[in-house]
Amino acid sequence: MLQLTWQAELAAAFTRPDELLEFLDLQDLKQAHHPPAATAFPLRVTRSFAERMVKGDPADPLLRQVLPLPDEDLDAPGFCGDPVGDLAAVAAPGLLHKYQGRALLVVTGACAIHCRYCFRREFPYGAEQLSRQREAAALDYLNGDASIREVILSGGDPLALSDDRLAELVHKLETISHLRRLRLHSRLPVVLPARITEALAALLADTRFQTVMVIHANHGREIDRSVGRALAQLKEAGVTLLNQSVLLRGVNDDAETLAELSEILFERGVMPYYLHLLDKARGTAHFEVSDAAAQDLHEQLRRVLPGYLVPKLVREAAGAPFKLPVI
């Protein structure tokens, strides 16, 4: 059977709730899942990720992460369009500088999957993302601040860029002598593992940077054999792999699920890194887990897992100098 390129797989993603629900044998739910929020922030989910969902189960934890729900249209106090203060941290076009020693480049607004809890669902990518026309100012900013040792590629998802564009950007960053580390935040190794090709692995292996990739998995069922192979390719290329999860009601808000996720990640060579409390983006309140419940879950994890498998429980707050531990 002819294997699709990752670009073709990306183009074949589900973009209509009715098509996804029909694929999952959930035709009865079609009329209930067309909230207005789905127009402003449309559904997108790769077929690879959808194939890991349990057909006929409307409460599937993978489905819950991507299916638009009427709850997204309810107003909730404290939930807003810029919950972590991204816009206040813009230091140059496409560049956010929040924390000492590292800066973040918003290299694209594209993603392979639209997570309904996304904290950048209202981010003005058209005005703020990096582009070839805007990158000179961002590179000048990085070049002018020798305290910045790490540059983070984010978005959107940086692996939605072509290899050529990624290589071009990395080569330009390599000319800034005080930069030591390259970090990429990407969901694609999990939701579109075909993106991890030999060419991409070679690109990441050949850079002078110490390279870190922070992947994003919230549930153990997200990590199948194809994801395992993609992660192994990255490990062989010398990439340090970390995972960050978001604590989500109805998805992973129980200790057994979180513990199993940590075990599976470690078996695949990935260290559990962060367990984030929900960023309060408008339309996401139905995913929120209280601080008290989160702390109780974290204590349960500490009881059943070795310390190195327990992710740090944190929240991101606008204006804070680092991720805040939830203790």
Side-chain angles (χ1 to χ4, degrees):
M1 185 175 70
L2 181 65
Q3 186 173 5
L4 295 177
T5 64
W6 69 268
Q7 294 95 333
E9 285 196 42
L10 187 59
F14 289 105
T15 56
R16 289 171 40 192
D18 59 335
E19 290 179 337
L20 176 62
L21 292 171
E22 185 171 349
F23 173 78
L24 295 172
D25 297 333
L26 292 169
Q27 291 90 335
D28 293 345
L29 297 182
K30 284 183 182 181
Q31 297 306 315
H33 291 83
H34 290 79
T39 301
F41 187 54
L43 177 139
R44 172 172 285 276
V45 56
T46 59
R47 292 176 183 267
S48 170
F49 193 71
E51 286 168 358
R52 299 169 226 165
M53 300 173 188
V54 176
K55 292 191 174 183
D57 182 5
D60 181 88
L62 278 60
L63 174 63
R64 182 168 170 79
Q65 295 180 54
V66 300
L67 185 65
L69 296 175
D71 288 342
E72 294 182 38
D73 297 312
L74 302 176
D75 289 330
F79 286 74
C80 64
D82 183 20
V84 298
D86 275 347
L87 295 180
V90 174
L95 185 145
L96 309 183
H97 194 185
K98 291 185 181 183
Y99 306 132
Q100 185 174 351
R102 58 267 196 211
L104 182 148
L105 295 175
V106 181
V107 298
T108 178
C111 285
I113 187 171
H114 288 173
C115 303
R116 305 314 301 178
Y117 51 87
C118 179
F119 70 98
R120 288 199 181 125
R121 54 191 289 164
E122 294 185 34
F123 188 81
Y125 288 106
E128 297 296 343
Q129 79 183 48
L130 195 72
S131 64
R132 285 188 175 88
Q133 293 73 30
R134 298 170 178 159
E135 71 180 21
L139 293 171
D140 284 346
Y141 183 92
L142 292 171
N143 202 39
D145 188 342
S147 73
I148 299 174
R149 297 177 297 278
E150 178 173 83
V151 63
I152 302 164
L153 304 187
S154 184
D157 197 304
L159 293 190
L161 298 177
S162 69
D163 288 349
D164 288 345
R165 175 58 178 149
L166 270 176
E168 176 187 12
L169 190 54
V170 170
H171 292 332
K172 290 178 180 178
L173 292 169
E174 285 178 317
T175 67
I176 301 174
S177 60
H178 55 263
L179 293 179
R180 301 177 185 175
R181 292 183 300 278
L182 175 70
R183 193 194 325 170
L184 300 94
H185 283 210
S186 180
R187 189 103 156 98
L188 264 69
V190 175
V191 302
L192 188 66
R195 176 64 184 95
I196 310 305
T197 61
E198 290 184 8
L200 176 64
L203 188 163
L204 297 176
D206 290 343
T207 177
R208 72 166 178 84
F209 292 125
Q210 290 182 295
T211 305
V212 178
M213 187 174 293
V214 182
I215 68 166
H216 178 180
N218 297 315
H219 194 283
R221 283 218 336 265
E222 297 179 32
I223 303 173
D224 64 2
R225 289 183 179 178
S226 63
V227 175
R229 288 192 295 268
L231 296 174
Q233 277 188 282
L234 291 169
K235 288 288 288 184
E236 290 171 7
V239 178
T240 298
L241 295 175
L242 308 174
N243 181 69
Q244 59 182 1
S245 303
V246 180
L247 185 58
L248 301 166
R249 181 150 52 97
V251 174
N252 59 6
D253 56 334
D254 68 271
E256 184 177 354
T257 296
L258 291 170
E260 181 67 11
L261 174 60
S262 283
E263 296 278 10
I264 291 171
L265 287 166
F266 190 65
E267 288 172 0
R268 303 297 189 274
V270 184
M271 290 300 298
Y273 175 40
Y274 277 150
L275 177 60
H276 282 270
L277 292 192
L278 181 73
D279 295 321
K280 294 189 175 184
R282 188 170 15 244
T284 67
H286 54 293
F287 285 114
E288 188 174 25
V289 176
S290 71
D291 284 21
Q295 289 169 326
D296 180 64
L297 283 170
H298 200 248
E299 182 172 335
Q300 292 180 57
L301 289 181
R302 291 167 62 191
R303 292 177 182 273
V304 300
L305 291 173
Y308 58 87
L309 291 189
V310 180
K312 299 174 184 176
L313 181 64
V314 297
R315 66 155 41 92
E316 185 168 358
F322 44 78
K323 300 289 195 307
L324 301 178
V326 180
I327 301 174

